[in-house]
Amino acid sequence: MSDSEEPHFESKADAGASKTYPMQAGAIRKGGYIVIKNRPCKVVEVSTSKTGKHGHAKCHFVAIDIFNGKKLEDIVPSSHNCDVPHVDRTEYQLIDISEDGFVSLLTDNGNTKDDLKLPTEEPILTQLKDGFAEGKDLAVTVMSAMGEEQINALKDVGPR
């Protein structure tokens, strides 16, 4: 490689914050989070099996995807590491619901967040639309993990 040639790197990385962190499988408990089949999940059941003379104890995880509600299972040796997603819950104030199915939210620092779609779950979708139509002041809780975001709860903060 000559001195005049600059190396060119394809940059596909973000700010360097990892979407997951490793945790020993034996340390993951019911109610915690785990990544199964590349999906962030909440653990609903953990069972540990002791194996024979030279085997590893294995952990059997039953978990529910936090975004689509699907049930996933995984069996991992308890001494091995599993990926655990960084899960964040943030509360925003609802400003507007657009015709194309997106919501406009007010952040804590006064900016607006307009890139979130309406939730697809039926009870929360009707509560959100009805409450907004009635002119209620609504606060929505947005759960984010592994680059995905979704509205998963709402509460009435009083009339406008």
Side-chain angles (χ1 to χ4, degrees), residues 86-119:
H86 287 286
V87 178
D88 269 337
R89 279 194 176 88
T90 318
E91 206 166 271
Y92 299 105
Q93 189 172 344
L94 180 69
I95 302 171
D96 190 27
I97 299 176
S98 63
E99 274 89 58
D100 57 355
F102 282 87
V103 291
S104 187
L105 305 170
L106 184 67
T107 62
D108 287 341
N109 59 11
N111 295 333
T112 57
K113 180 176 178 58
D114 303 307
D115 58 350
L116 223 66
K117 271 188 154 338
L118 276 168

Side-chain angles (χ1 to χ4, degrees), residues 16-64:
S18 178
K19 292 176 175 67
T20 62
Y21 59 95
M23 184 184 245
Q24 198 166 349
I28 297 172
R29 300 278 166 249
K30 181 179 174 180
Y33 295 99
I34 188 171
V35 177
I36 299 177
K37 294 184 181 139
N38 229 14
R39 301 290 305 156
C41 303
K42 185 172 183 120
V43 178
V44 290
E45 193 182 315
V46 180
S47 57
T48 309
S49 63
K50 304 278 186 258
T51 54
K53 273 187 190 174
H54 304 292
H56 287 281
K58 291 194 169 45
C59 292
H60 177 239
F61 295 104
V62 178
I64 293 174

